[in-house]
Structures are given as structure tokens and as C-alpha cells.
Amino acid sequence: MMYSNRKTGELSSTPPWGAAFLLPQVKKARYPDWEEVSDDYLPEHKECYELEEADVNPTEIQLAEALIEIYDILEGKA
């Protein structure tokens, strides 16, 4: 059993009220935004982010390629 907060999208494997036993009416009153959900529940995707092109230094790319080549040589793949 998982617990989901409808407002924040937070998903938790532990109830927000901890290990305390609370009557269902008390749970609803104190934690109105929380609900019990199944273990395979995924919250609705609400936000979308635009991709930004990263600033990449060409020297860093060359260095990374050289390190990969050296690694392949050491591993006997080249």
C-alpha cells in the first residue's frame, strides 16, 4: 500500500500519520489531501519542462572520446 498527496504529487510508502492508529474520519480531517493507492500507482504528470541546449566545450568532448578510446584499449575492445 502506498500513500499519495493529491496537491503535491508526493508518493510515500509510509502513511503521513506514521504508525499511529487513526479512525478513518480523523484521517480525512487531518490529512485531506492524502489517499491510499496501490503499490504500482504513478501520480499524474502535471508539469512539462522544455529541453534546453547545453553549453558544451568541444575540448571536453575530445577528452571524453579519448578516455573512452583508452578504456577500450585497456579492456581489449579496440
Side-chain angles (χ1 to χ4, degrees):
M1 184 63 61
M2 301 285 286
Y3 301 88
S4 174
N5 186 312
R6 288 185 290 275
K7 274 190 179 175
T8 64
E10 182 181 352
L11 191 61
S12 175
S13 61
T14 57
W17 51 86
F21 173 79
L22 297 176
L23 294 171
Q25 303 90 325
V26 176
K27 287 180 194 176
K28 284 185 179 185
R30 288 189 183 171
Y31 305 96
D33 299 325
W34 286 89
E35 63 184 343
E36 291 183 0
V37 295
S38 64
D39 288 336
D40 59 352
Y41 172 80
L42 291 174
E44 241 183 76
H45 182 69
K46 294 181 181 176
E47 297 180 27
C48 188
Y49 300 97
E50 291 184 26
L51 296 178
E52 296 178 7
E53 190 169 324
D55 293 330
V56 180
N57 184 338
T59 306
E60 290 176 348
I61 293 174
Q62 291 173 347
L63 177 60
E65 290 172 345
L67 289 172
I68 291 170
E69 189 174 327
I70 291 169
Y71 179 78
D72 287 344
I73 291 170
L74 293 174
E75 291 291 312
K77 296 178 184 176

